[in-house]
Amino acid sequence: MEKYFQIFVDGYYGYFTYLLDEIMYPSWGNYFWWLVGLSLGVWLLELVFPWRKSQPLIRKDFWLDGFYMFFNFFLFSLIAYNAISNVAVEAFNDFLGLFGVTNLVAIEVASLPTWSQLLILFVLADFIQWNVHRFLHRIPALWEFHKLHHSVEQMGFAAHLRFHWMETIVYKTAQYIPLAMIGFGLEEFFLVHIFATAIGHLNHANIRVTYGPLKYVLNNPVMHTWHHAKQLPKGSSGVNYGITLSLWDYLFRTAYIPNDGRDEPLGFDGMEKYPKTFWQQISYPFWKNKGD
Ligand SMILES: [Zn+2]
Ligand SMILES: [Zn+2]
């Protein structure tokens, strides 16, 4: 027990000093300044090439979403995730140790060239996320958490990271075991993470780009607008579940783009009653799931 406590404290403290370092010393290998840079870059594109021209420059919930962005990217990890996950990983390994399993690695990828390791990690992680995203829509208790992301009414880059912290836990947990089995740690490769963040920002941005024929591989603002559309095709619980890749939606026939969807109303049924502030939105699924 003492061991777990020590890991928790170290995780907490380690992340705190790491975060402070990130903010104080900008560099090319630095998440904090990449997030700031990408956000300013995509925002600039929105200002110069706006898709929905009548949308205000400081759109509805701009500041709230900006707060979510830093909360989910940094603060949540600072407050809890890093420390909890270190303990969970240690406990999981100890649990496996009970059965004599000391190494989860089933396929060794470390011997492959770096670029192919990156590609495998990226494609596999994205496919797992696509599946998790489907479950967020199909399982009612999970949907109560995911509603937060769908409560955005006007699209803009920061809506990308408007989501409940529980999603971080669900996504990371689902990714941990399969990725560990091929020899990847929980910490993602920097480049993959930055690339996914850039595409995610663009998916939510108020600009119209579809990347030409690459639209069958990469998710894009037009496709993702339909994911946020209030009106779903009949009998469907969601469309266009893609995170970075659109490929899975084309392969598994969940792609749906009837037109470019520029003026499509966004959200979900009963939006009017959904809470409007950070603390209410964060606590909502807990009392909602208790039966209402
Ligand atoms: Zn969704
Ligand atoms: Zn979205």
Side-chain angles (χ1 to χ4, degrees), residues 160-224:
H160 173 210
L161 296 170
R162 173 196 181 108
F163 55 80
H164 198 283
W165 54 263
M166 187 63 96
E167 289 199 21
T168 305
I169 296 189
V170 175
Y171 275 107
K172 298 269 182 183
T173 308
Q175 286 177 88
Y176 177 72
I177 296 175
L179 292 182
M181 285 183 76
I182 58 166
F184 289 117
L186 196 60
E187 71 285 345
E188 294 151 83
F189 285 49
F190 189 76
L191 249 154
V192 169
H193 201 63
I194 298 297
F195 178 65
T197 306
I199 297 294
H201 267 37
L202 289 164
N203 288 341
H204 295 84
N206 184 25
I207 50 176
R208 194 193 182 288
V209 280
T210 49
Y211 317 124
L214 280 181
K215 68 180 177 194
Y216 295 109
V217 183
L218 281 180
N219 199 358
N220 55 73
V222 168
M223 188 169 193
H224 199 63

Side-chain angles (χ1 to χ4, degrees), residues 133-134 136-137 143 146-147 149-150 167 171 224 227-228 237-241 243:
H133 192 186
R134 275 171 52 225
L136 291 177
H137 280 260
W143 168 242
H146 189 50
K147 263 183 182 171
H149 182 65
H150 283 266
E167 289 199 21
Y171 275 107
H224 199 63
H227 178 68
H228 282 265
S237 50
V239 295
N240 306 350
Y241 295 109
I243 306 291

Side-chain angles (χ1 to χ4, degrees), residues 6-292:
Q6 195 54 45
I7 293 169
F8 184 81
V9 172
D10 288 351
Y12 223 104
Y13 183 73
Y15 196 81
F16 183 72
T17 47
Y18 157 78
L19 183 72
L20 217 60
D21 242 44
E22 288 263 302
I23 297 170
M24 305 285 281
Y25 307 104
S27 79
W28 287 109
N30 177 312
Y31 280 122
F32 181 84
W33 290 102
W34 264 106
L35 180 67
V36 172
L38 281 176
S39 299
L40 291 176
V42 176
W43 195 31
L44 196 70
L45 287 176
E46 291 188 28
L47 299 181
V48 181
F49 309 104
W51 182 16
R52 301 160 184 99
K53 297 199 170 53
S54 56
Q55 186 170 301
L57 292 184
I58 306 290
R59 64 175 175 86
K60 186 172 194 290
D61 289 347
F62 180 89
W63 297 110
L64 177 67
D65 293 356
F67 178 72
Y68 271 113
M69 198 162 85
F70 284 97
F71 180 84
N72 283 323
F73 212 83
F74 295 104
L75 294 180
F76 176 64
S77 306
L78 172 67
I79 294 167
Y81 183 74
N82 198 55
I84 296 171
S85 73
N86 287 348
V87 173
V89 167
E90 183 72 14
F92 182 66
N93 286 334
D94 287 354
F95 173 75
L96 289 178
L98 294 178
F99 304 97
V101 182
T102 51
N103 189 357
L104 246 192
V105 180
I107 313 162
E108 187 60 73
V109 288
S111 54
L112 295 171
T114 311
W115 68 266
S116 57
Q117 285 188 43
L118 282 175
L119 194 68
I120 295 172
L121 173 73
F122 166 62
V123 174
L124 196 71
D126 192 75
F127 184 54
I128 297 169
Q129 291 178 65
W130 179 82
N131 280 287
V132 171
H133 192 186
R134 275 171 52 225
F135 284 119
L136 291 177
H137 280 260
R138 287 178 187 185
I139 299 174
L142 290 178
W143 168 242
E144 295 302 338
F145 287 101
H146 189 50
K147 263 183 182 171
L148 177 43
H149 182 65
H150 283 266
S151 64
V152 61
E153 288 171 79
Q154 293 180 335
M155 289 292 237
F157 69 92
H160 173 210
L161 296 170
R162 173 196 181 108
F163 55 80
H164 198 283
W165 54 263
M166 187 63 96
E167 289 199 21
T168 305
I169 296 189
V170 175
Y171 275 107
K172 298 269 182 183
T173 308
Q175 286 177 88
Y176 177 72
I177 296 175
L179 292 182
M181 285 183 76
I182 58 166
F184 289 117
L186 196 60
E187 71 285 345
E188 294 151 83
F189 285 49
F190 189 76
L191 249 154
V192 169
H193 201 63
I194 298 297
F195 178 65
T197 306
I199 297 294
H201 267 37
L202 289 164
N203 288 341
H204 295 84
N206 184 25
I207 50 176
R208 194 193 182 288
V209 280
T210 49
Y211 317 124
L214 280 181
K215 68 180 177 194
Y216 295 109
V217 183
L218 281 180
N219 199 358
N220 55 73
V222 168
M223 188 169 193
H224 199 63
T225 290
W226 284 102
H227 178 68
H228 282 265
K230 201 167 187 172
Q231 188 79 51
L232 289 170
K234 259 203 167 57
S236 149
S237 50
V239 295
N240 306 350
Y241 295 109
I243 306 291
T244 307
L245 296 177
S246 57
L247 183 72
W248 315 119
D249 286 305
Y250 286 107
L251 282 178
F252 298 102
R253 305 193 171 277
T254 44
Y256 176 72
I257 308 163
N259 56 61
D260 82 357
R262 191 192 67 180
D263 301 316
E264 195 62 26
L266 309 179
F268 49 85
D269 283 338
M271 279 264 287
E272 313 70 40
K273 283 193 226 131
Y274 190 77
K276 305 273 183 277
T277 66
F278 177 78
W279 289 112
Q280 288 174 327
Q281 290 174 339
I282 286 297
S283 54
Y284 165 86
F286 299 104
W287 51 262
K288 178 72 188 177
N289 280 335
K290 280 215 182 92
D292 173 43

